[in-house]
Amino acid sequence: MPLIDRYLLRQLLGPTVLATLALTAVALLSQSLSALDIIVSQRQSALVFAKVTVLAMPQLLNMVLPIAVFVAALVSLNRLHTEQEIVVCFAGGMSRWRVIAPAIRLASMIAVLALVMNLWIQPLAAREMRQTLFEVRTDLASTLIREGEFTNPAPGLTVYAQSVDATGLIHNLFIHQEKDGGGATTYTADQGRLEKRNGKPVLAMHKGSMQEFSDADVLNYLTFDDYPYDLSPFMRTDELIHYKPSDRYLHELLFPDLQQDWEKRNRLKLLAEGHNRIASPLYNIALMAMAVSAIIGGGFSRMGYGRRIAIVSAVAVAFRILGFVVQAASEEAAWINVLQYLVPAAATYVALRGVFREKVSRFIDMRKKPHRISRRAEAAA
């Protein structure tokens, strides 16, 4: 029996891994397309783009795992049943529970893995991604200068650059700054580069000139070979990173700091996200049970199980959509969080009830044999 258990587990594990990789690749492709804005508009490197894409993997993986489990179980169990390998298991004396035990065991291991990712890996990756996006958004090189565009990174400041090469060298730079007390200063330079001097960010301009109107409307003109333009007044030092509910750890979701105004106003939303972190791995077991019910929940058929698979698939989709609806409703009332656990539990119960609804007959009913023989004898006579 352990040999058969291991064989059934291997037959389920291979398609599950392949389905997970395929669905994760599709989800990553969608994520990478949305993250292309980082390179196009923010002028970041491909390394930053790859980092953001990889950090989104834990959350995407948790979303596709139940679907991958369901699809892989349908494919592998359908093949095993069509090739009569499961029928042989029943004929060899195995109970229905012994036959489906490897599938439920695999789903349970995947559920534990999903729970670990939900509680620790996903918030850690999400925080790192939020930090990276914050650095991109506050990057002076992307907010101050855009090729061929006039930008206004701060009130009274206008910046233009003809081009920026791969090394970060800025060509044909123009800066116009209006002063609070009146007057304006205009800088032009052939080249420029963002640097740090004495611990302060500066725009080092080379081979340029400065024109300034004084308060007495006198034009002052100055040429220079090197001029450091101080960027410290335009640094947003008061901006902080705000972590969304998906970026927080479980204890931060279930026990928020009610002294913080945002957390107090969004307490129910944080609570719903926390319970979803715990409840969502249960869908791996529920959808595996659904797949088992679609194949083993009825009698053997040489014509295939397309109709049963279609019905069970529709029921599985309905349960998963209901789970999302319950999660959204939990943000309005705390008691609805109980349903986040009851929905996958109900799906598992419905599926297993369909599996154990009929018992497997291990013996031939000998009382029907004489009746069939007598009928054949009468027909021959």
Side-chain angles (χ1 to χ4, degrees):
M1 291 301 180
L3 182 63
I4 298 177
D5 287 347
R6 289 196 297 270
Y7 173 75
L8 294 175
L9 184 61
R10 286 197 305 270
Q11 296 300 311
L12 288 164
L13 182 59
T16 301
V17 173
L18 291 178
T20 303
L21 292 176
L23 291 175
T24 304
V26 173
L28 277 178
L29 178 61
S30 175
Q31 173 68 23
S32 62
L33 291 176
S34 62
L36 276 177
D37 182 65
I38 296 176
I39 290 182
V40 176
S41 62
Q42 301 291 339
R43 296 193 294 108
Q44 297 296 316
S45 64
L47 183 61
V48 174
F49 170 75
K51 181 180 179 180
V52 172
T53 304
V54 171
L55 289 174
M57 279 190 63
Q59 188 172 8
L60 295 175
L61 196 59
N62 278 324
M63 293 177 61
V64 305
L65 265 178
I67 303 173
V69 167
F70 182 71
V71 172
L74 284 177
V75 172
S76 56
L77 289 174
N78 184 50
R79 184 183 60 80
L80 289 172
H81 211 22
T82 303
E83 295 178 358
Q84 302 187 16
E85 293 186 58
I86 293 180
V87 176
V88 171
C89 293
F90 287 146
M94 293 181 67
S95 65
R96 285 180 180 256
W97 174 251
R98 287 299 304 273
V99 173
I100 71 171
I104 301 301
R105 192 181 309 126
L106 175 62
S108 300
M109 290 187 292
I110 294 174
V112 172
L113 176 62
L115 182 62
V116 171
M117 287 194 296
N118 277 351
L119 298 186
W120 292 286
I121 299 177
Q122 176 188 330
L124 179 63
R127 284 175 179 242
E128 182 63 27
M129 183 173 65
R130 194 72 57 194
Q131 176 69 34
T132 303
L133 293 176
F134 176 79
E135 293 174 356
V136 168
R137 191 172 62 253
T138 57
D139 185 11
L140 278 175
S142 60
T143 58
L144 186 66
I145 299 170
R146 296 179 183 273
E147 289 183 326
E149 296 182 17
F150 286 92
T151 61
N152 300 100
L157 180 66
T158 303
V159 181
Y160 173 84
Q162 184 180 24
S163 62
V164 182
D165 61 22
T167 63
L169 187 63
I170 306 167
H171 299 277
N172 296 330
L173 183 63
F174 170 85
I175 299 177
H176 180 76
Q177 182 181 8
E178 297 179 359
K179 298 181 179 179
D180 295 336
T185 306
T186 302
Y187 301 89
T188 58
D190 292 342
Q191 295 178 345
R193 187 184 296 274
L194 291 168
E195 300 177 355
K196 275 195 174 183
R197 296 186 181 181
N198 299 323
K200 294 182 179 181
V202 298
L203 179 59
M205 295 184 288
H206 309 288
K207 298 180 180 179
S209 64
M210 179 184 68
Q211 303 176 34
E212 180 180 15
F213 273 104
S214 65
D215 297 339
D217 291 336
V218 176
L219 178 63
N220 298 320
Y221 182 82
L222 173 69
T223 60
F224 55 81
D225 290 330
D226 181 81
Y227 182 86
Y229 183 78
D230 188 12
L231 298 175
S232 300
F234 311 110
M235 294 288 291
R236 293 175 288 180
T237 57
D238 57 341
E239 186 175 355
L240 300 175
I241 300 177
H242 173 70
Y243 290 122
K244 297 182 179 181
S246 58
D247 306 337
R248 298 171 183 255
Y249 289 99
L250 184 64
H251 68 277
E252 297 173 330
L253 296 170
L254 299 181
F255 307 102
D257 184 5
L258 299 182
Q259 294 181 354
Q260 302 290 333
D261 181 63
W262 187 90
E263 297 191 10
K264 186 177 181 179
R265 287 186 288 105
N266 295 273
R267 181 178 61 87
L268 293 178
K269 190 174 183 179
L270 294 172
L271 191 63
E273 174 67 22
H275 285 286
N276 180 65
R277 295 277 185 89
I278 304 174
S280 59
L282 297 176
Y283 284 98
N284 294 284
I285 301 175
L287 292 186
M288 176 65 83
M290 286 280 185
V292 170
S293 176
I295 305 300
I296 306 180
F300 176 79
S301 174
R302 293 183 180 273
M303 303 301 295
Y305 308 95
R307 184 171 178 271
R308 282 211 313 253
I309 291 174
I311 294 174
V312 173
S313 298
V315 174
V317 170
F319 270 108
R320 193 64 191 98
I321 293 176
L322 180 60
F324 289 125
V325 172
V326 168
Q327 181 187 357
S330 300
E331 298 178 3
E332 304 297 331
W335 68 268
I336 303 180
N337 286 303
V338 177
L339 298 180
Q340 294 205 58
Y341 302 93
L342 292 182
V343 170
T348 306
Y349 171 76
V350 170
L352 294 181
R353 186 174 180 273
V355 173
F356 294 100
R357 174 175 54 189
E358 300 176 2
K359 294 186 178 296
V360 179
S361 177
R362 302 178 187 174
F363 304 98
I364 300 175
D365 192 350
M366 299 300 297
R367 289 175 297 178
K368 297 181 179 179
K369 188 175 180 181
H371 181 64
R372 290 198 301 268
I373 294 176
S374 62
R375 280 190 174 182
R376 290 176 184 173
E378 290 176 0

